[in-house]
Amino acid sequence: MKLDVKELKDNYLKMVIEKTSTSFLNPIRRILISELPKMAIEDVEFHLGPIRDETGKEYESVTPLFDEIIAHRLGLLPIPTDLKLFGFRDICVCKGEGCPNCTIMYTLNKKGPCTVYSKDLEPLGDAKFAIKNQNIPIVKLDEGQAILIYATAILGKGSEHAKWQTISGASIRYYPEVKIDAEICDNGGGCIDICPMNIMKRDDGKVIVGDNFEDCILCNACVEICVPRQDSAGKKAIEVNYNENHLIFSYETDESMTALDVLKESIAIFTNKLRNFSENLETALAGPLWEEIIEEEEEEEEEEEEEEVVPEEVAEEEPVEIVIKAPEPAEGEEPIPSPDEISIFPETIEGKEEESKEEAEAEPEAEPEAEPEPEPEPEEKDEPEEKVEEEEKVEEEEAVTEEAEEPEEPEEPKEAEEGEEPGESEEKDTEENAEEDA
């Protein structure tokens, strides 16, 4: 980073900064506007009633403006500020009551007809706190009018009210790059007349860029008015560009503090903010929650290291037990004999195979036993007809017994038919029943 101070006054500063960015300068600009403390009038007490001068002449304590407007104008006056002498009233040892360490008292006593200026506001105490810009108008008094007030100035920040803002017009601009192609330029001079910042001028009849080209606001008015020559293939003689890493930083103060003191105080505030942030970060990292997080991370790292270490011997595999069960027999079929549950372990299969091979080599080869022939299954034969007839007879007998068990109503004795003797009909019935039973 390279800094070049172009202009420095009591109330103005302009510098060019190379190899930087707006993200770096913007925090300083915001602190200059809203965080830098400054003295400003906060409380105003107006005297009511007649006011007499040395000769005994009476004046009415009235003005053409309302008291609130006059108090607002007094609050915007630039009060000289020395941050080494004053502190904030709410944290002062006086507990907000007001003392020379946190307040400055002013008085204003003026009689008309006249115009009241900032120079008429006199400090009660050291004269160095008198307002430097003495020609700021406050109010105009007519004949018979007077004003008598007591004002108190305290320290505040621009984030609370605009009257505590020390600077105005803080800006960050890209560094302009303006070029003129002398071979194409027709030296018409239209760009000289239209440039709002007057950075174009003539030299020996030619249009050139002046030394104040840093004032260029990149409006491109000169580029728009430039008419290309016929032999330039549409190319214009003026080019306006900018460099994003080359910035111009400038601001103006209200004379309550010098431009250089304002910048130094802002940098100190910015540094303190960063220091406090760093300290709070260390405190937060030292807390119990962070300790737990650190311990968890360390445990995870240890577990990862243990997983990465591969032992020389391969770990033994756990045995896998395989159980074979016989399927359940279907209905009407004889149950298939189920084999015993067999457990096969991978680590013992190879050993058993080797043992069986050794035993086979040691024993003489025996003739294979003949496998028993499977017994032929009995063929299903058709049931004989006699068996079917017996079953039908059994069913008929069962039906007859069921009918016999049911109670029957007593039948009236039948009258003997003509030509039959009594008793013969009963005998015929018994014979018929016997034949049915047979």
Side-chain angles (χ1 to χ4, degrees):
M1 182 185 294
K2 181 180 178 181
L3 278 72
D4 185 10
V5 179
K6 296 293 184 179
E7 188 175 355
L8 178 60
K9 299 179 182 178
D10 287 343
N11 64 339
Y12 183 76
L13 184 142
K14 179 182 177 182
M15 65 172 63
V16 177
I17 307 174
E18 299 179 11
K19 297 180 182 180
T20 187
S21 62
T22 55
S23 60
F24 172 76
L25 289 178
N26 195 49
I28 298 175
R29 184 188 67 86
R30 294 180 64 86
I31 291 172
L32 285 169
I33 295 172
S34 60
E35 296 292 331
L36 185 64
K38 173 202 164 183
M39 299 293 290
I41 292 175
E42 174 69 7
D43 303 322
V44 180
E45 181 182 352
F46 289 86
H47 176 78
L48 303 178
I51 300 173
R52 295 181 177 87
D53 60 3
E54 293 82 1
T55 61
K57 184 179 178 180
E58 290 188 358
Y59 294 86
E60 189 67 26
S61 60
V62 293
T63 61
L65 299 177
F66 291 107
D67 294 346
E68 292 83 359
I69 297 175
I70 295 175
H72 184 267
R73 289 189 174 187
L74 293 174
L76 295 176
L77 295 177
I79 305 298
T81 303
D82 189 352
L83 298 178
K84 297 178 181 178
L85 298 178
F86 299 99
F88 292 97
R89 184 168 64 176
D90 55 350
I91 59 174
C92 184
V93 293
C94 66
K95 298 181 180 180
E97 295 182 0
C99 67
N101 294 328
C102 61
T103 59
I104 303 174
M105 296 295 297
Y106 290 89
T107 181
L108 175 60
N109 187 3
K110 198 71 176 176
K111 303 172 183 65
C114 66
T115 300
V116 182
Y117 291 95
S118 57
K119 63 182 179 182
D120 298 320
L121 190 67
E122 299 176 356
L124 297 178
D126 199 337
K128 69 180 181 179
F129 298 118
I131 297 173
K132 294 181 179 180
N133 190 347
Q134 299 182 354
N135 296 321
I136 301 173
I138 299 173
V139 66
K140 187 176 181 179
L141 301 177
D142 293 334
E143 182 67 33
Q145 294 180 343
I147 185 172
L148 176 60
I149 63 173
Y150 296 95
T152 304
I154 64 173
L155 205 63
K157 295 181 180 180
S159 57
E160 300 174 12
H161 195 277
K163 65 184 179 182
W164 282 301
Q165 285 185 359
T166 308
I167 69 167
S168 60
S171 65
I172 301 172
R173 298 186 293 112
Y174 292 124
Y175 195 81
E177 296 177 353
V178 184
K179 299 178 181 179
I180 298 177
D181 192 345
E183 296 180 357
I184 301 175
C185 182
D186 59 357
N187 299 316
C191 56
I192 298 174
D193 298 332
I194 200 172
C195 181
M197 306 306 294
N198 298 321
I199 66 172
M200 302 288 187
K201 64 179 182 178
R202 288 186 181 275
D203 185 16
D204 295 335
K206 295 181 179 181
V207 179
I208 62 172
V209 180
D211 296 335
N212 61 336
F213 71 95
E214 293 177 353
D215 297 334
C216 178
I217 58 175
L218 305 174
C219 65
N220 283 330
C222 56
V223 178
E224 294 174 359
I225 200 174
C226 181
V227 179
R229 293 171 56 178
Q230 295 181 356
D231 58 350
S232 62
K235 183 180 179 181
K236 294 190 176 183
I238 302 175
E239 292 183 3
V240 178
N241 296 314
Y242 59 87
N243 189 346
E244 295 182 355
N245 298 323
H246 200 169
L247 305 176
I248 300 173
F249 182 44
S250 62
Y251 59 86
E252 183 179 358
T253 70
D254 62 355
E255 296 185 352
S256 60
M257 298 175 67
T258 63
L260 186 59
D261 291 341
V262 163
L263 183 59
K264 290 180 179 180
E265 292 293 340
S266 298
I267 293 173
I269 293 171
F270 190 30
T271 304
N272 289 333
K273 285 180 176 291
L274 295 176
R275 185 181 297 109
N276 291 336
F277 180 79
S278 178
E279 292 175 357
N280 292 332
L281 180 61
E282 292 178 359
T283 303
L285 297 180
L289 178 61
W290 185 253
E291 290 179 357
E292 293 178 1
I293 294 172
I294 293 174
E295 290 177 359
E296 292 177 358
E297 291 180 353
E298 291 178 353
E299 290 177 359
E300 291 178 357
E301 291 178 357
E302 291 177 357
E303 291 177 358
E304 291 177 358
E305 291 177 356
E306 291 177 358
E307 291 177 357
E308 291 176 357
V309 176
V310 180
E312 294 180 357
E313 297 180 358
V314 180
E316 296 182 356
E317 296 181 356
E318 295 182 359
V320 179
E321 184 176 357
I322 301 173
V323 179
I324 301 173
K325 292 184 178 180
E328 296 181 358
E331 294 181 358
E333 296 182 358
E334 295 181 0
I336 301 172
S338 59
D340 296 335
E341 294 184 356
I342 304 171
S343 298
I344 301 174
F345 300 95
E347 70 273 10
T348 59
I349 290 174
E350 297 178 358
K352 289 182 178 179
E353 290 180 352
E354 293 177 357
E355 290 177 1
S356 60
K357 288 180 180 179
E358 292 176 358
E359 291 176 358
E361 292 175 356
E363 294 178 0
E365 294 182 357
E367 295 181 357
E369 296 180 356
E371 295 181 0
E373 295 181 358
E375 297 179 359
E377 294 182 0
E379 294 180 358
E380 294 181 356
K381 296 182 179 179
D382 296 334
E383 295 180 357
E385 294 180 357
E386 296 177 357
K387 188 176 182 180
V388 174
E389 292 177 356
E390 290 178 359
E391 290 178 356
E392 289 178 355
K393 286 182 179 182
V394 172
E395 290 177 357
E396 290 177 359
E397 290 176 359
E398 290 177 356
V400 170
T401 54
E402 288 178 359
E403 291 177 359
E405 289 176 358
E406 292 181 0
E408 295 182 357
E409 294 181 0
E411 294 181 358
E412 294 181 0
K414 295 181 180 180
E415 293 181 359
E417 295 180 359
E418 293 180 358
E420 290 184 0
E421 293 181 359
E424 291 181 1
S425 60
E426 294 179 358
E427 292 177 359
K428 289 180 179 181
D429 292 337
T430 53
E431 290 177 359
E432 290 177 357
N433 292 333
E435 290 176 359
E436 287 178 359
D437 293 337

